């Protein structure tokens, strides 16, 4: 055993330390020591490979050992999974970025800021000290700010990044308040000791204030209503930056809540806050998403809704499903953003095929009945007895939401193939919730289930998602009239919540002026014709 600040950490923790250390070191080298852009990219690619191998090795090593923690760092299931995820996404984004930004005059600065962001995210993941976590979370935001303003000559990019900067600093203040509240209540800032003491005895008032501040920081950084506008409007940033933001940065709020899961379970007020804000955001953002034509903007609203759903899961105490949701959303959203450029070709292919007729109310009712009944019957056969106890009631509520959300997939099958097309889709929508049950069992072995939420909060969630399904169905049946016509302007405008917040925020702290930026044309020409001299 070592007597340093890393006491109680096994030797394999060197894999975890290697990820942020390599990223930070190469970020400095790429910015200061690289003699050319090509050299900087070589350093970046090499660093991404080392991070990927180290993250995977840490995950494998963790599978054969127990949780451990030192004064500053810790290694547990969710941490090693998240670190491997960040390493994988970083590797993909770096490889994609090299071709995407070829010829840009600021490639070298981009590489440095990208690696700095990955290093800060990795420190958040492995931190076991509240001060270290707070500093790393703030550093993540500051490094990401440089990427969001990569095209700093664009006024929209500067203004939106400034809006995020304001909210991030508010979240940092919340975390600093949590440091003071937890320090005075427990006499320690080690996260593992804070959670252990929260389970052993009743929460003191200072700890309740501290966890409320942590939740507020998570809500701000996860772009929950009404502080969501920056996430929707940062599309001026390069596409790989959007992929990194949506796959590995914006969901850090959910990961931090996983770190404090035992404290959240004991604080009723924080659970209510998470469930109400998360559910409301998920429902409204899902409706707004259906009004958008832009692929990237639609994906951004989808992320907003998914973050609300993840935070709702945290409030319900379904921590294992929150971790699963975090990982699945990260992988899906990274692929969706990096593949957004192929959307035009896919749209052109769809236009060559006859558009199927809209589903009828009777077909939607039949599909809903079949999918829900099949899902619950399969769950019963799986051994998941519905409403046997409060935790199972929460899981069944979540699976019911997933099942109903898949009904449009079945109802959309109105091609000339008829039943032969619809039946496989209905079978698929039953198989997906079954996979949800299986993954729930697997994740339950990794992360324990929390305390069940109160019946009133479960009813609130059920009513909210039933309302979402009803509104969506009515708008599909009558797409250009009635309820759809009245709701469309409000949903398209996101209820105009961001406009009100922007006016107040910019009145208090106006955004900076855009900076001048050299033309990229000479660099593009040099990249295309490296053997020629430009006049």
């Amino acid at each position: 055993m070592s007597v340093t600040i890393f006491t109680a950490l096994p030797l394999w923790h060197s894999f975890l330390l290697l990820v942020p250390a390599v990223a930070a070191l190469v970020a400095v080298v790429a910015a200061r020591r690289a003699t050319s852009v090509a050299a900087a990219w070589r350093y970046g690619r090499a660093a991404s490979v080392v991070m990927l191998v180290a993250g995977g090795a840490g995950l494998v090593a963790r599978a054969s050992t127990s949780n451990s923690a030192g004064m500053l760092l810790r290694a547990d299931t969710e941490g090693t999974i998240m670190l491997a995820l960040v390493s994988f996404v970083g590797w993909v984004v770096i490889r994609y970025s090299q071709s995407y930004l070829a010829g840009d005059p600021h490639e070298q600065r981009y590489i440095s800021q990208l690696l700095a962001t990955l290093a800060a995210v990795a420190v958040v993941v492995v931190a076991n000290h509240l001060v270290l976590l707070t500093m790393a979370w703030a550093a993540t935001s500051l490094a990401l700010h440089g990427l969001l303003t990569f095209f700093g000559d664009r006024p929209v990019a500067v203004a939106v990044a400034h809006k995020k900067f304001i909210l991030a600093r508010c979240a940092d203040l919340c975390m600093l308040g949590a440091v003071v509240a937890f320090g005075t209540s427990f006499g320690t800032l080690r996260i593992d000791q804070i959670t252990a003491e929260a389970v052993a005895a009743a929460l003191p008032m200072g700890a309740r204030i501290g966890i409320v501040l942590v939740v507020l920081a998570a809500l701000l950084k996860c772009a929950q209503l009404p502080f969501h506008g920056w996430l929707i409007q940062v599309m001026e940033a390069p596409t790989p930056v959007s992929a990194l933001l949506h796959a590995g940065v914006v969901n850090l709020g959910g990961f931090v809540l996983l770190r404090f899961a035992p404290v959240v379970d004991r604080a009723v007020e924080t659970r209510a806050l998470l469930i109400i804000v998360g559910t409301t955001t998920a429902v409204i953002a899902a409706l707004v998403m259906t009004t958008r034509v832009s692929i990237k903007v639609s994906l951004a609203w989808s992320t907003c809704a998914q973050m609300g759903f993840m935070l709702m899961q945290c409030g319900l105490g379904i921590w294992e499903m929150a971790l699963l949701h975090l990982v699945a959303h990260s992988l899906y959203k990274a692929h969706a953003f990096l593949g957004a450029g192929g959307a035009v070709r896919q749209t052109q292919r769809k236009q060559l095929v006859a558009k199927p007729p809209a589903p009828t109310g009777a077909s939607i009712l039949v599909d809903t009945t079949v999918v829900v009944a099949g899902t619950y019957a399969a769950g019963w056969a799986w051994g998941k007895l519905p409403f046997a106890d409060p935790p199972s009631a929460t899981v069944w509520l979540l699976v019911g939401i997933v099942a109903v959300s898949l009904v449009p997939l079945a109802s959309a099958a109105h091609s000339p193939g008829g039943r032969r097309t619809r039946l496989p889709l209905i079978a698929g929508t039953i198989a997906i919730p079954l996979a949800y049950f299986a993954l729930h069992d697997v994740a339950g072995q990794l992360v324990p289930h929390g305390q069940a939420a109160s019946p009133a909060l479960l009813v609130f969630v059920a009513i909210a998602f039933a309302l979402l399904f009803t509104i969506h169905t009515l708008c599909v049946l009558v797409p250009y009239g009635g309820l759809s016509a009245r709701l469309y302007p409000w949903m398209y405008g996101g209820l105009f919540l961001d406009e009100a917040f922007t006016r107040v925020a910019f009145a208090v702290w106006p955004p900076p002026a855009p900076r001048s930026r050299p033309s990229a044309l000479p660099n593009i020409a040099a990249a295309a014709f490296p053997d020629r001299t430009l006049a």
Side-chain angles (χ1 to χ4, degrees), residues 155-437:
V156 174
V158 174
V160 174
H162 181 70
K163 188 191 306 185
K164 179 196 177 298
F165 188 87
I166 294 173
L167 290 171
R169 301 294 73 80
C170 293
D172 295 340
L173 290 176
C174 290
M175 290 301 296
L176 290 176
V179 168
V180 176
F182 281 123
T184 55
S185 297
F186 294 121
T188 180
L189 292 176
R190 282 184 52 165
I191 298 175
D192 61 330
Q193 294 181 355
I194 290 174
T195 55
E197 293 191 27
V199 173
L203 283 182
M205 181 55 65
R208 290 183 176 274
I209 295 174
I211 196 59
V212 167
L213 290 173
V214 171
V215 168
L216 287 176
L219 294 176
L220 288 170
K221 294 207 174 190
C222 286
Q224 298 298 280
L225 297 176
F227 310 113
H228 63 290
W230 66 268
L231 183 67
I232 312 303
Q233 298 157 1
V234 292
M235 298 300 112
E236 294 283 344
T239 294
V241 174
S242 297
L244 178 64
L245 169 64
H246 289 258
V249 177
V250 74
N251 52 18
L252 281 179
F255 176 79
V256 171
L257 291 179
L258 276 165
R259 279 280 187 252
F260 288 92
V263 190
V264 175
D265 280 341
R266 302 293 300 279
V268 178
E269 58 279 0
T270 61
R271 302 186 68 178
L273 179 62
L274 282 170
I275 291 173
I276 293 173
V277 175
T279 303
T280 303
T281 299
V283 170
I284 293 177
L287 289 173
V288 174
M289 181 183 67
T290 62
T291 67
R292 298 310 172 109
V293 177
S294 168
I295 300 298
K296 291 180 69 175
V297 172
S298 178
L299 289 174
W301 276 107
S302 169
T303 295
C304 184
Q306 294 294 333
M307 290 302 99
F309 196 74
M310 179 184 66
L311 294 178
M312 180 203 76
Q313 290 174 319
C314 294
L316 291 173
I318 319 175
W319 298 104
E320 68 276 23
M321 298 313 298
L323 176 62
L324 179 63
H325 191 100
L326 189 155
V327 173
H329 174 266
S330 295
L331 295 175
Y332 159 71
K333 202 52 65 80
H335 175 269
F337 268 99
L338 296 181
V344 174
R345 182 174 297 178
Q346 295 174 6
T347 302
Q348 290 174 339
R349 289 176 179 175
K350 290 180 181 178
Q351 291 175 344
L352 297 176
V353 180
K355 187 177 180 180
T360 63
S363 67
I364 292 178
L365 180 61
V366 171
D367 292 339
T368 302
T369 303
V370 171
V371 169
V372 173
T375 299
Y376 279 77
W380 196 297
W382 188 272
K384 299 287 188 180
L385 299 179
F387 311 111
D389 49 38
S392 68
T394 307
V395 173
W396 273 93
L397 171 62
L398 199 62
V399 173
I401 292 172
V402 173
V404 171
S405 67
L406 294 172
V407 170
L409 294 178
S411 297
H414 287 274
S415 64
R419 295 178 180 177
R420 287 179 298 178
T421 303
R422 182 181 296 182
L423 290 178
L425 278 175
I426 293 178
T429 57
I430 296 174
I432 291 175
L434 270 179
Y436 206 79
F437 278 122

Side-chain angles (χ1 to χ4, degrees), residues 9 17 20 65 80 88 93 270 343 401 426 431 438 449 466 490 535:
L9 296 183
L17 289 173
T65 60
T80 49
F88 175 72
V93 168
T270 61
I401 292 172
I426 293 178
H449 192 99
W490 289 93

